Amino acid sequence: MNGRTIYGTGHMVTERPALPASEPGLYLRHRDRGFVAHMLAGPFRLSLVRRLTAKSLLAHGASAETAGTAQLVLSELVGNAIRACGDDVPLVVEVYVGDTGTVVSVHDPAPDLLPRPAESAMDSADAESGRGLPLLNLLCTDVTVTASPIGKQIRCLLGPA
């Protein structure tokens, strides 16, 4: 964990990575060992949040492999939200290092549009989509879908950082 001692106090404090300035359609705030992004889904904002995911997780002790996996999970969850709800859907993204592993969660406004297992096999050469849930199940130790005040939350737990 990155930290520094405040001289004279004997206390170690963690330095939070600087958040980039908010962009139109993107509001960022710190949370314990990570960040929360309120965003309108779109390629540019997703790119910013993906970069922040890696930077924040690495700053809080996650490995480069975990940070890369978290970026992939984030992209899958946001892509699913866009396919289900449309472009510029309002999302809340949370990324942080928790006590049991790294957490990536996405809240979207469609409680009734739940992820479903694919009809086709993961290795199908003909399938154009439908690999998201099996991919999440391979990359994550736990995937949960729960109702939230704004719709639903899909929370993915990656193994230890």
Side-chain angles (χ1 to χ4, degrees), residues 1-81:
M1 177 169 12
N2 293 338
R4 62 183 172 87
T5 302
I6 299 177
Y7 294 101
T9 67
H11 294 288
M12 179 71 83
V13 295
T14 300
E15 293 183 17
R16 296 189 278 191
L19 293 176
S22 290
E23 297 286 328
L26 177 64
Y27 171 75
L28 300 168
R29 64 183 175 87
H30 285 284
R31 68 154 289 149
D32 186 34
R33 299 190 289 180
F35 69 92
V36 177
H38 297 257
M39 61 184 276
L40 296 176
F44 179 71
R45 290 178 290 273
L46 175 58
S47 178
L48 287 175
V49 173
R50 279 179 50 89
R51 285 194 306 273
L52 180 59
T53 294
K55 183 177 179 180
S56 179
L57 292 178
L58 292 170
H60 290 96
S63 68
E65 181 181 353
T66 297
T69 300
Q71 288 178 303
L72 180 58
V73 168
L74 174 67
S75 294
E76 182 62 33
L77 294 177
V78 170
N80 287 346

Side-chain angles (χ1 to χ4, degrees), residues 77-158:
L77 294 177
V78 170
N80 287 346
I82 292 170
R83 280 187 290 285
C85 304
D87 292 332
D88 294 322
V89 61
L91 304 173
V92 178
V93 173
E94 294 180 88
V95 177
Y96 60 95
V97 176
D99 294 334
T100 58
T102 299
V103 177
V104 176
S105 69
V106 173
H107 304 253
D108 71 45
D112 54 331
L113 298 176
L114 301 174
R116 293 180 308 237
E119 300 288 325
S120 57
M122 279 283 286
D123 60 353
S124 170
D126 298 324
E128 293 182 16
S129 65
R131 294 181 179 93
L133 281 179
L135 179 64
L136 291 178
N137 288 329
L138 285 172
L139 297 173
C140 304
T141 58
D142 189 38
V143 178
T144 58
V145 181
T146 56
S148 75
I150 63 169
K152 71 174 171 294
Q153 173 193 30
I154 301 177
R155 181 183 180 272
C156 296
L157 176 66
L158 285 65

